[in-house]
Amino acid sequence: MAEHGTQPSSLRYALEAAGIRALFRLLGLLPADVASDFGGWVGRTLGPRLGGNAKVLRNLEQAMPQLDAAARRRVARDCWDNLVRTLAEYPHLKTISREWEQRVELIGAEHVRGLVTDGKPGVILTGHFGNWELVAMTVFKCGATMTAIYRAPNNPSVDKLLAEARGELGTTLVPKGRASAKGILAAMRAGGILGILADQKLNEGIAVPFLGRDAMTGTIAGDVVVRHGAVVVPVRVTRKPKGARFRIEAFPPMELPAPTGDRPADIRAITVAVNQLLERWVLDNPGQWLWTHRRWPK
């Protein structure tokens, strides 16, 4: 029975990985800006026709009720544009790194560098905005190294392919699970920097308001602040209108609620502050956030 259940999955995974690798090679033959613009066109054209667009529109209707139907459709189209551009840019991360000064407007680099010199463990806090992969590259360009927790794809071959593409990021990637707990502890004890994408649903987290509704939210940032005295520096990526070009902002360390000695309450208060920050970013530019996430309960 196990063999019958395993073989189709293995074949499907192999075909999936081969298709993605072939696509990456084709996109890699294009100039970076052309690949990005092509991805944007595909996203704008096909995204609104996919079944997943209903989830995007439903999320927008519930999170941003002030928008009318036409405005929600525009934001959804921009969301698909940004998502597929980001995918199309994976084969060009090396180009973006090599042409960093021409492609990236970086503001607040001193705040990232401060995490290296302050003698404390640090957190780079971000979400799925613009091309979020460039947050890790930003840290590397600022002369620091980072441990990032990520959700590995179900397909191990795709995971390997993405790891190859992310080789330019200068980051230690730790898959979510048991290994992540060890990676977090090691980074904090060494006074290192932990990278957190804080806008994903995490069933093991706690229910905290996000855009008007409770959302299951991870508490890693709050936990390392309370347990290890970590300093949290938010970093946001904003995509510029055409091509693989970006504005990246590193903000001063977050001013977090003062500790009370009640660890669960303190962690919750920090998690609330994190969600409030990400909420402001979403409202600033909703088309550059990843609305395809199943962020809230049904």
Side-chain angles (χ1 to χ4, degrees):
M1 293 295 290
E3 290 181 359
H4 290 299
T6 301
Q7 288 175 354
S9 294
S10 298
L11 177 60
R12 178 169 57 84
Y13 283 169
L15 292 173
E16 182 181 70
I20 293 175
R21 187 175 292 277
L23 179 61
F24 274 18
R25 285 176 178 170
L26 287 172
L27 289 168
L29 295 174
L30 300 173
D33 289 336
V34 174
S36 177
D37 289 341
F38 174 71
W41 177 81
V42 171
R44 294 191 305 274
T45 304
L46 297 184
R49 294 172 169 81
L50 297 176
N53 195 55
K55 177 172 62 179
V56 173
L57 292 174
R58 185 169 58 249
N59 283 341
L60 281 163
E61 183 177 12
Q62 294 176 336
M64 301 186 72
Q66 70 274 23
L67 299 180
D68 61 23
R72 291 195 296 271
R73 288 194 296 271
R74 286 194 297 271
V75 173
R77 184 191 61 211
D78 291 345
C79 166
W80 289 112
D81 175 296
N82 182 66
L83 172 58
V84 185
R85 279 183 185 273
T86 299
L87 297 175
E89 287 160 0
Y90 271 99
H92 292 285
L93 290 176
K94 183 178 292 187
T95 299
I96 295 171
S97 177
R98 186 175 62 248
E99 300 174 357
W100 183 258
E101 298 295 334
Q102 292 75 44
R103 294 187 173 276
V104 174
E105 176 191 5
L106 177 57
I107 299 168
E110 67 274 11
H111 302 306
V112 178
R113 296 190 184 105
L115 294 178
V116 180
T117 59
D118 65 5
K120 299 178 181 179
V123 170
I124 294 290
L125 180 78
T126 192
H128 290 84
F129 298 90
N131 187 333
W132 53 88
E133 296 285 3
L134 299 188
V135 172
M137 194 179 289
T138 299
V139 175
F140 183 66
K141 293 291 184 180
C142 289
T145 57
M146 183 172 76
T147 298
I149 310 302
Y150 79 108
R151 184 191 180 282
N154 294 331
N155 186 335
S157 297
V158 172
D159 188 26
K160 181 179 179 182
L161 177 61
L162 293 179
E164 292 171 4
R166 289 166 169 153
E168 293 298 315
L169 301 181
T171 296
T172 301
L173 293 169
V174 180
K176 179 183 165 184
R178 289 186 178 181
S180 67
K182 293 180 180 178
I184 292 168
L185 185 60
M188 294 296 95
R189 285 180 172 174
I193 299 173
L194 182 68
I196 301 175
L197 279 161
D199 58 350
Q200 290 180 299
K201 180 183 178 184
L202 187 66
N203 290 331
E204 299 82 6
I206 60 176
V208 174
F210 182 63
L211 290 167
R213 286 181 291 159
D214 278 351
M216 296 305 293
T217 305
T219 59
I220 294 176
D223 192 64
V224 297
V225 169
V226 171
R227 294 177 185 271
H228 303 284
V231 176
V232 181
V233 170
V235 178
R236 174 173 60 180
V237 180
T238 303
R239 182 179 296 283
K240 293 188 175 182
K242 291 185 178 181
R245 299 173 188 275
F246 311 89
R247 173 187 173 97
I248 302 179
E249 300 164 276
F251 296 91
M254 289 184 70
E255 295 184 7
L256 297 169
T260 66
D262 183 338
R263 180 176 289 176
D266 290 343
I267 290 174
R268 179 179 178 81
I270 293 168
T271 306
V272 168
V274 166
N275 271 13
Q276 289 174 341
L277 171 68
L278 296 173
E279 187 176 278
R280 290 196 296 273
W281 287 1
V282 172
L283 296 175
D284 281 349
N285 198 338
Q288 296 216 8
W289 188 57
L290 195 61
W291 290 95
T292 56
H293 277 162
R294 196 177 295 279
R295 187 67 185 89
W296 297 273
K298 290 184 179 180

